[in-house]
Amino acid sequence: MRLCAFLLLLVEADPRGPRTPSCTCAGGSMTVERWLRLPGQGLAMLHVTRGVWGSRVQVRALSSLAAKMGVYRKMWNPTEPRDWAQQYRERFIPFSKEQLLRLLIQEFHSSPAEKEALEEFSAHVDFCTLFHYHHILARLQALYDPINPDRETLDQPSLTDPQRLSNEQEVLRALEPLLAQANFSPLSEDTLAYALVVHHPQDEVQVTINLDQYIYIQFWALGQRVGLMPRKSTVGSKRGFFKSPPAERRYFKRVVLAARTKRGHLVLKSFKDIPLEGLEQLLPELKVRTPTLQRAMLNVTLVVSGVAFFVNVGMVVLSDLKMATSLLLLLFAAFMGLRASKMFGQRRSVQALELAHMLYYRSTSNNSELLSALALRAHDEHTKEALLAHSFLARSPLGKHSGPEETSQWLQSEVENWLLAQSGCDVAFNGARALGHLQALTSSNGMYPPPRFPKLESLATVTLPQAAPRNDNP
């Protein structure tokens, strides 16, 4: 046993690792040797290492969340979380790869030769990184499979609750670098407290949650916008006499949710066009509640109709049938109670249907499909960062002897100003990461893999209980 463990450590310590058959593209003109490796600094591109998988995942301390919610309840009409500009920085590049290519060609590569060279470089980046992200996705799905609620394969031995919770946190630790490369920004606990307390007046459908039911809650978001919400993403009935016109709101183009209830399992979901004040509508184990104004209007309607009914019917019954006043009042109270219960029940049913309708249009992916979508988005953002670094550094006024820190700062400033001018969005560009992507692509030539290319290490071992043999098929 000790000998096997010693040999395993030797294999993991070998920087070369097991060799992988080389592969080239058609015609042999392009190889996958140009992998993303910085000299002396290890991998620049995203890859799964023991350090990443062993990092601590941020799990919500729900007690401190409740305390921050109490702070917001004491505020008078807050419009955004405290220090919002410092809490959230947009990192998503608001162009598709094709749009970015067209803009870069118009700005920096106008000649036919430069245009062709940029398109070849883009294809080369895709070719060099596609297998890597596919490998990461395969490993991530293998880690997620034992706790996948949508698994279509044969049932595996059931996990105990501590084992399932441990596996879920391993998956969350694995998702962190992928979400970072996909340019998602984690939403802070203070932001979540604001979203759980503050309700926008145009959100007719409001929900309430019990924090004691949750073990952890985590949100990530990208694509912050301030403007009118897309029409199919709005919540609330189109009926009513007091409907205010649509107002500009702060919302996110994409939101990723990871939450776990004490009686449930890990929920991984992605949504689009989510307002900041509507994050709580995405959580599991919620209850629809009627807003205060609507409750007041329903109560007024009940009182007015009840008084009219009592005056027109109750007094006639009291005088003609000689019924006791106490009995009449008791019957009237029972009638009004049933009517109130029916009215409020119907209203909650309508609001629940509207909430389901809204989530139907806003939901984009969940569970294992979300992992695939995140890997694709991370790969796309990786390519865009490499394209920007390639185009800007070709026109850098800095000399060849400038240091990497100076170069990355210049690149970050130039790209941020250019993105602001082109899109109107204030994007925090990671110049050091983009420079690493570019330098790693051009640092080596030859066949795949490079001699010192670090291997994807084994994922954390998931211990499964031994199940007795079964004769029946699920």
Side-chain angles (χ1 to χ4, degrees):
M1 181 70 179
R2 294 180 179 177
L3 179 60
C4 293
F6 177 70
L7 292 175
L8 179 59
L9 290 174
L10 288 179
V11 172
E12 291 184 348
D14 186 0
R16 297 173 61 91
R19 299 294 304 200
T20 306
S22 61
C23 61
T24 60
C25 66
S29 60
M30 185 181 300
T31 66
V32 199
E33 173 68 17
R34 296 174 178 264
W35 277 90
L36 307 179
R37 183 169 54 85
L38 277 173
Q41 297 185 19
L43 277 181
M45 78 181 287
L46 171 70
H47 69 106
V48 184
T49 64
R50 179 179 291 119
V52 172
W53 288 93
S55 64
R56 292 180 59 84
V57 65
Q58 181 184 5
V59 177
R60 296 284 179 203
L62 298 184
S63 58
S64 62
L65 177 60
K68 292 181 179 180
M69 290 173 62
V71 174
Y72 277 106
R73 288 193 181 98
K74 297 176 182 178
M75 293 184 180
W76 173 254
N77 194 26
T79 58
E80 65 180 19
R82 296 170 295 181
D83 302 323
W84 175 245
Q86 287 73 36
Q87 283 195 41
Y88 181 86
R89 287 299 310 274
E90 185 60 61
R91 299 187 298 165
F92 172 64
I93 301 172
F95 298 111
S96 67
K97 187 182 70 173
E98 290 72 21
Q99 290 175 325
L100 186 62
L101 273 173
R102 288 196 297 267
L103 290 173
L104 291 176
I105 288 173
Q106 294 174 4
E107 187 91 12
F108 306 113
H109 310 274
S110 55
S111 68
E114 291 178 340
K115 175 183 176 182
E116 183 180 359
L118 181 63
E119 291 175 346
E120 289 182 356
F121 176 78
S122 175
H124 176 63
V125 174
D126 284 338
F127 184 79
C128 291
T129 56
L130 184 61
F131 173 78
H132 184 84
Y133 283 97
H134 177 75
H135 201 173
I136 290 176
L137 175 60
R139 293 298 185 90
L140 188 57
Q141 287 178 332
L143 182 67
Y144 181 67
D145 185 70
I147 58 174
N148 183 9
D150 301 330
R151 184 175 58 248
E152 67 274 9
T153 56
L154 297 177
D155 289 339
Q156 294 186 359
S158 60
L159 299 173
T160 63
D161 194 63
Q163 288 175 328
R164 178 175 292 275
L165 184 60
S166 176
N167 287 16
E168 290 171 357
Q169 295 193 11
E170 288 292 338
V171 171
L172 293 180
R173 282 193 287 266
L175 278 177
E176 283 186 336
L178 198 62
L179 286 161
Q181 177 58 66
N183 284 329
F184 277 88
S185 298
L187 298 184
S188 66
E189 188 177 72
D190 188 77
T191 302
L192 181 55
Y194 168 85
L196 294 177
V197 171
V198 179
H199 302 286
H200 196 274
Q202 289 193 335
D203 284 342
E204 292 188 10
V205 177
Q206 296 182 7
V207 299
T208 180
I209 65 169
N210 182 7
L211 286 181
D212 295 334
Q213 294 179 348
Y214 295 87
I215 298 178
Y216 53 79
I217 302 172
Q218 176 68 64
F219 284 98
W220 296 266
L222 62 75
Q224 179 185 208
R225 302 286 189 272
V226 177
L228 297 179
M229 293 283 299
R231 194 178 72 173
K232 287 188 176 181
S233 295
T234 56
V235 189
S237 174
K238 306 300 184 292
R239 301 178 299 274
F241 297 102
F242 304 102
K243 293 291 291 183
S244 58
E248 291 189 347
R249 301 187 59 178
R250 188 184 307 275
Y251 67 98
F252 304 102
K253 296 302 294 182
R254 291 294 184 272
V255 170
V256 171
L257 164 67
R260 216 271 201 182
T261 60
K262 294 180 179 179
R263 297 181 299 176
H265 54 78
L266 170 64
V267 175
L268 285 176
K269 288 185 177 293
S270 175
F271 301 89
K272 65 178 182 179
D273 301 327
I274 301 299
L276 178 58
E277 296 84 5
L279 291 176
E280 66 174 350
Q281 297 173 353
L282 312 180
L283 293 171
E285 300 290 340
L286 52 81
K287 293 182 180 180
V288 176
R289 71 180 184 89
T290 306
T292 304
L293 180 60
Q294 292 186 9
R295 287 202 307 270
M297 294 178 63
L298 287 176
N299 287 324
V300 169
T301 303
L302 283 171
V303 170
V304 172
S305 61
V307 170
F309 177 80
F310 184 81
V311 170
N312 290 277
V313 179
M315 298 304 295
V316 174
V317 172
L318 185 64
S319 60
D320 293 349
L321 299 181
K322 309 299 182 180
M323 184 179 294
T325 304
S326 58
L327 179 59
L328 178 61
L329 291 177
L330 180 62
L331 293 176
F332 177 73
F335 169 75
M336 293 302 296
L338 290 174
R339 189 170 182 225
S341 176
K342 184 177 181 180
M343 288 183 62
F344 280 95
Q346 288 177 343
R347 185 59 189 170
R348 282 192 295 268
S349 298
V350 170
Q351 291 174 334
L353 182 61
E354 290 175 349
L355 180 62
H357 181 265
M358 177 271 296
L359 293 176
Y360 174 80
Y361 284 103
R362 289 188 185 179
S363 179
T364 58
S365 58
N366 61 287
N367 298 333
S368 60
E369 285 75 17
L370 175 59
L371 304 183
S372 302
L374 288 177
L376 182 62
R377 184 177 290 275
H379 176 244
D380 195 47
E381 293 297 299
H382 187 125
T383 304
K384 290 189 289 185
E385 290 173 1
L387 287 172
L388 287 168
H390 173 77
S391 297
F392 277 85
L393 288 177
R395 290 154 179 79
S396 172
L398 302 177
K400 295 183 179 180
H401 301 289
S402 58
E405 183 177 354
E406 181 183 3
T407 304
S408 64
Q409 290 178 355
W410 177 87
L411 177 63
Q412 176 175 331
S413 175
E414 291 295 316
V415 173
E416 287 179 354
N417 294 333
W418 185 81
L419 290 174
L420 180 62
Q422 295 292 331
S423 66
C425 299
D426 186 12
V427 179
F429 185 75
N430 193 330
R433 187 173 68 184
L435 181 62
H437 293 338
L438 183 62
Q439 290 180 342
L441 273 174
T442 58
S443 62
S444 59
N445 298 290
M447 305 301 295
Y448 167 79
R452 292 177 294 173
F453 184 74
K455 303 301 176 184
L456 294 179
E457 295 188 5
S458 301
L459 300 181
T461 304
V462 179
T463 304
L464 298 177
Q466 297 296 327
R470 296 176 57 183
N471 296 325
D472 55 334
N473 292 326

